[in-house]
Amino acid sequence: MNNSVFLHIARFISLVFLQVVLFNHINFLGYINPYIYIMFIALFPVKNNRFIIIFLSFFIGLTIDVFSDTGGIHAAACVFIAYVRPLILKFSFGMIYDHQTIKFNTVEFGEKLTYLTILTLLHHFMLFFLEMFSVSQIILVLQKTLFSSIFTILLILIVTIIFSKKTK
Amino acid sequence: MQQIINFIIRNKNFLLSLLLFSISMVFTIQTHSYHKSRFINSANFLTGGIYNSINNFTGYLSLKSQNQVLAEENSRLKMLLFNSESKKDSTYLDTVSYNGTYKFTLANVIRNTYSGTNNVLLLNRGKNDGLKQDLGVISSKGIVGIIDGTSKHYATVISVLNTINKISAQLKKTNHFGTLYWDAKSPNFIQLTDIPKIAPIVKGDTIITSGRSSIFPKGIPIGIINDFKLDAAENYYEINIKLFNDMTNLEHVYTIENIDTAEIDSLLNKNTDE
């Protein structure tokens, strides 16, 4: 138990640090940045209390906001996905979720990809919509959502593959 | 009472989400209104300190191009200096009264953003160096933005690449003026509106600040006209301006303080009160 708390604190700090120092400055083709810190929310253990994950999501979003002067858009998007996460889990994993036995290291690749894609798309849409704050710019919002999501999903997959423990 | 408590316990996740979501929305809406001092900004001890130490490393990477920029500015200033010396005449002001209206302070950009729609820069100078809200920020090539929040050692700057910024600008060759805004599409171009149809504009004309507000003095270069068209009502031009500044590569900037701001403001307020 204690060990996993330390693991999550380390994950929190290192993801925020990487996001702020490295991934906020990539600006591929002018505006495409990956938001890899949502890995923290995506890979948070399923069994834990929902209360904790919603609160931690708000906190990680707000930390990113403080560093990038964006008001509260990251925090809002993170709280949103943390709240709808159980629905997405149920949709992508089906039966396993009902038994509360998901381990992100061992689930099938296809199901994991669905889960990450939905989560990332929702987060990015929310994020860019709040950033623009106008319905007339919806095309630009969708465009940014699409490109940044592809980038984010690819990076999260690469990171999870590199850091996955071979438990089979 | 029992029922209310039960309701809260049953829906505690939803209520918590709603609460946290509303808090973040309040922060978000604050950033969309100009001049409301933000509660959440990066000009604080922790984030400022971290960005400062990162900048100590990354500063080396752009050293060569920044040297080039500074050398170019030096040569331009030298040229001005020698030209003005030759023109010196007997009406030169005496040294006691010769204090310029504008005070310049050198600062370094320790965090630069240009990919979002509301971009904010962070400077490594703050209240202790005499910076305060509403000072203009320029680089050697042109305007950069306006200071928004300050802490003791750091200051945030609303970049010209920010949809809430409205800066007054004019044509260099005539005095027709308009308002700058940014459509958030490219960090190299900003837009100028409200230039009347009668103004003689051509592609390639220079746009400068108008000096109509007390933030920027008149004549700071902004960019050149890239293309233009009439607006829907056909009364005003909508002009696309290519910035002189490369906003993606900023390091050394100057803040401009107009020493007479208080005097000008009190005069203007007096007029409106009467």
Side-chain angles (χ1 to χ4, degrees):
Chain A
M1 183 59 207
N2 225 353
N3 205 1
S4 82
V5 169
F6 275 119
L7 176 77
H8 284 113
I9 291 173
R11 212 184 243 177
F12 186 102
I13 293 172
S14 52
L15 280 175
V16 167
F17 190 75
L18 274 178
Q19 180 67 44
V20 169
V21 175
L22 186 60
F23 292 116
N24 269 351
H25 302 282
I26 288 187
N27 296 323
F28 182 60
L29 297 183
Y31 57 88
I32 304 173
N33 279 333
Y35 295 97
I36 195 176
Y37 73 94
I38 60 168
M39 249 178 91
F40 181 79
I41 304 164
L43 301 185
F44 202 77
V46 175
K47 270 179 281 183
N48 277 43
N49 198 339
R50 275 183 78 190
F51 206 75
I52 295 174
I53 181 173
I54 291 171
F55 192 76
L56 282 177
S57 305
F58 174 73
F59 194 62
I60 198 171
L62 200 67
T63 319
I64 301 285
D65 276 327
V66 170
F67 274 104
S68 40
D69 279 305
T70 43
I73 59 174
H74 286 282
C78 284
V79 170
F80 177 67
I81 58 163
Y83 183 70
V84 299
R85 195 176 85 129
L87 296 176
I88 308 169
L89 280 168
K90 201 164 190 173
F91 175 78
S92 11
F93 297 109
M95 278 301 282
I96 322 175
Y97 175 66
D98 289 338
H99 297 293
Q100 301 269 313
T101 51
I102 302 177
K103 285 224 169 65
F104 289 108
N105 290 333
T106 55
V107 290
E108 271 184 51
F109 183 76
E111 290 174 339
K112 194 163 155 184
L113 187 65
T114 327
Y115 167 65
L116 281 177
T117 311
I118 299 173
L119 202 75
T120 314
L121 281 174
L122 281 177
H123 174 269
H124 284 25
F125 178 73
M126 201 73 192
L127 183 72
F128 292 124
F129 183 71
L130 288 177
E131 189 185 7
M132 301 282 179
F133 223 63
S134 78
V135 188
S136 57
Q137 304 257 35
I138 197 80
I139 300 291
L140 195 58
V141 172
L142 291 174
Q143 189 187 349
K144 276 188 156 186
T145 307
L146 181 68
F147 292 135
S148 291
S149 296
I150 295 172
F151 208 168
T152 310
I153 294 165
L154 273 179
L155 264 172
I156 293 183
L157 285 177
I158 291 170
V159 172
T160 46
I161 288 167
I162 291 173
F163 285 95
S164 71
K165 294 170 204 143
K166 296 271 185 309
T167 47
K168 279 173 194 170
Chain B
M1 194 62 204
Q2 187 69 32
Q3 294 230 323
I4 295 172
I5 291 170
N6 275 341
F7 174 80
I8 290 174
I9 290 172
R10 243 184 307 129
N11 291 316
K12 66 172 193 233
N13 289 326
F14 177 71
L15 291 174
L16 178 73
S17 313
L18 205 65
L19 174 75
L20 295 178
F21 195 80
S22 333
I23 294 174
S24 2
M25 285 309 287
V26 169
F27 289 150
T28 308
I29 290 163
Q30 266 186 358
T31 61
H32 285 272
S33 57
Y34 197 88
H35 272 182
K36 198 164 267 178
S37 246
R38 302 163 188 198
F39 180 61
I40 298 290
N41 68 23
S42 66
N44 60 44
F45 171 71
L46 179 71
T47 54
I50 290 175
Y51 278 125
N52 207 7
S53 49
I54 293 167
N55 190 58
N56 281 345
F57 292 107
T58 55
Y60 287 104
L61 300 176
S62 61
L63 216 53
K64 204 165 179 180
S65 62
Q66 291 305 330
N67 279 344
Q68 184 67 31
V69 170
L70 292 178
E72 275 167 19
E73 188 184 20
N74 267 345
S75 70
R76 199 166 50 79
L77 291 177
K78 274 229 170 74
M79 198 171 72
L80 275 178
L81 185 71
F82 289 123
N83 288 340
S84 70
E85 258 174 353
S86 61
K87 272 192 285 186
K88 208 179 279 176
D89 58 18
S90 57
T91 60
Y92 193 70
L93 292 162
D94 67 281
T95 47
V96 181
S97 65
Y98 190 72
N99 283 324
T101 330
Y102 295 101
K103 200 173 115 193
F104 284 64
T105 313
L106 178 70
N108 276 17
V109 176
I110 55 175
R111 188 178 67 90
N112 185 9
T113 57
Y114 46 88
S115 58
T117 53
N118 294 310
N119 297 304
V120 177
L121 316 176
L122 190 64
L123 303 184
N124 67 345
R125 294 273 189 277
K127 262 184 234 156
N128 286 5
D129 308 283
L131 301 197
K132 54 190 183 212
Q133 200 176 50
D134 277 345
L135 301 194
V137 181
I138 61 168
S139 77
S140 56
K141 286 184 182 163
I143 59 166
V144 172
I146 297 172
I147 290 187
D148 182 36
T150 48
S151 67
K152 265 185 187 165
H153 298 104
Y154 303 100
T156 52
V157 177
I158 299 182
S159 149
V160 285
L161 305 183
N162 192 318
T163 48
I164 62 171
N165 229 346
K166 301 270 183 286
I167 296 170
S168 176
Q170 67 166 69
L171 296 173
K172 194 176 180 184
K173 60 178 182 186
T174 66
N175 272 328
H176 294 100
F177 65 95
T179 312
L180 287 177
Y181 68 98
W182 189 49
D183 65 2
K185 294 214 171 93
S186 158
N188 295 324
F189 295 95
I190 58 173
Q191 284 66 41
L192 177 63
T193 181
D194 291 347
I195 293 278
K197 195 180 170 185
I198 199 167
I201 63 171
V202 226
K203 205 172 150 181
D205 275 0
T206 309
I207 304 290
I208 56 174
T209 54
S210 71
R212 248 158 250 279
S213 66
S214 53
I215 297 175
F216 289 107
K218 185 174 172 172
I220 291 172
I222 296 171
I224 57 169
I225 297 180
N226 195 55
D227 54 64
F228 58 88
K229 63 172 199 294
L230 284 170
D231 66 357
E234 303 223 324
N235 286 328
Y236 295 104
Y237 283 116
E238 279 173 5
I239 304 172
N240 211 5
I241 299 170
K242 186 170 192 337
L243 287 168
F244 287 129
N245 247 338
D246 180 3
M247 292 297 289
T248 60
N249 179 20
L250 289 174
E251 178 76 37
H252 300 281
V253 294
Y254 306 94
T255 64
I256 308 175
E257 181 178 2
N258 187 343
I259 292 162
D260 295 340
T261 303
E263 195 181 326
I264 294 169
D265 284 349
S266 71
L267 187 63
L268 286 175
N269 288 337
K270 205 166 100 189
N271 284 345
T272 50
D273 286 346
E274 279 164 6

